């Protein structure tokens, strides 16, 4: 069972979906933190969080491309 999850999906596919989900979720959560920082007038924190969010979006796009390619091969 090392190569499959309980639902029968290959671990690599499951892992990629999981990374995509958690990355998108974090990006969404960061939106709240960015708003909080802006409302508090903390431009430094807001900018830092926006950088992280941008990295998450880039990571999510790459994960989507990888996932699409792998699903089209199966």
């Amino acid at each position: 069972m090392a190569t499959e999850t309980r639902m029968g999906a290959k671990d690599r596919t499951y892992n990629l979906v999981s990374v995509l989900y958690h990355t998108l979720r974090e990006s969404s959560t960061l939106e709240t933190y960015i708003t909080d920082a802006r409302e508090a007038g903390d431009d430094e924190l807001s900018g830092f969080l926006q950088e992280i969010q941008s990295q998450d979006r880039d990571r999510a796009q790459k994960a989507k491309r990888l996932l699409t390619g792998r699903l089209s091969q199966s």
Side-chain angles (χ1 to χ4, degrees), residues 2-73:
T3 61
E4 295 188 6
T5 64
R6 291 183 187 168
M7 297 188 315
K10 290 186 179 182
D11 282 347
R12 293 173 300 159
T13 302
Y14 175 85
N15 293 344
L16 190 52
V17 169
S18 181
V19 166
L20 177 57
Y21 168 80
H22 288 288
T23 300
L24 291 172
R25 182 144 176 152
E26 177 178 87
S27 182
S28 177
T29 299
L30 284 168
E31 193 62 42
T32 300
Y33 301 161
I34 291 166
T35 300
D36 290 348
R38 284 181 182 152
E39 288 176 357
D42 193 336
D43 294 336
E44 182 180 29
L45 179 57
S46 174
F48 172 68
L49 296 171
Q50 286 175 308
E51 286 176 34
I52 295 170
Q53 188 180 49
S54 177
Q55 292 167 359
D56 282 344
R57 287 182 178 148
D58 292 344
R59 190 175 301 113
Q61 288 301 320
K62 185 170 185 177
K64 286 179 195 177
R65 284 192 304 272
L66 284 170
L67 186 58
T68 299
R70 290 164 195 269
L71 292 175
S72 68
Q73 292 174 358

